[in-house]
Amino acid sequence: MSVTLEGAIAYWSARLGEQFLSEPEERQKQALQSAQDTLAPYTQNIVESDSDCAVYEQAEWLLGSRADMQSSGVTSMSISGITESYEVKGRPSTVAPSAWRIIKHGVDGTKGRGPVWL
């Protein structure tokens, strides 16, 4: 993989990745390492650019407040009348939905089948 901190910053600078960009560099590096470790079994046979993007998505998700809950198996929560539900739909609970989508369909969503999720 060619995952780098510079690559992650460039990726998130072009997207809505405030969580990743707002973290100190050490936390960014830790998130990238954890993301690579988590996704290693799923990214072995995919295009490197897709793999890198999946890792960047996973790192952003890991830094968010809901990743721990979802990876622990929480499927819904309610706070002050606001309810959130999380659906795994065949993805490992430790993998971010956006990372899993890239792993399964490629970063552009086609994987040679035409648009699937764009």
Side-chain angles (χ1 to χ4, degrees):
M1 272 196 257
S2 63
V3 170
T4 63
L5 180 59
E6 293 77 20
I9 290 170
Y11 181 87
W12 285 116
S13 292
R15 293 166 179 77
L16 296 174
E18 294 91 3
Q19 181 66 46
F20 188 86
L21 296 173
S22 69
E23 294 289 340
E25 185 175 317
E26 189 58 33
R27 289 256 311 150
Q28 290 174 336
K29 289 178 181 177
Q30 291 169 336
L32 288 173
Q33 185 61 57
S34 294
Q36 285 180 295
D37 294 346
T38 300
L39 296 184
Y42 310 108
T43 57
Q44 293 175 1
N45 298 316
I46 67 172
V47 177
E48 187 174 321
S49 59
D50 287 349
S51 176
D52 292 352
C53 290
V55 169
Y56 299 148
E57 292 286 345
Q58 180 74 11
E60 168 85 357
W61 185 72
L62 288 172
L63 292 168
S65 62
R66 291 169 175 83
D68 280 339
M69 291 187 314
Q70 291 180 46
S71 62
S72 297
V74 174
T75 57
S76 66
M77 66 174 224
S78 181
I79 300 173
S80 300
I82 299 173
T83 301
E84 288 187 18
S85 296
Y86 311 110
E87 181 64 48
V88 176
K89 289 189 181 179
R91 76 174 162 84
S93 62
T94 57
V95 176
S98 54
W100 190 246
R101 190 169 46 247
I102 291 170
I103 290 167
K104 298 308 265 179
H105 303 291
V107 77
D108 67 356
T110 63
K111 274 278 179 134
R113 295 182 300 269
V116 228
W117 58 273
L118 297 178

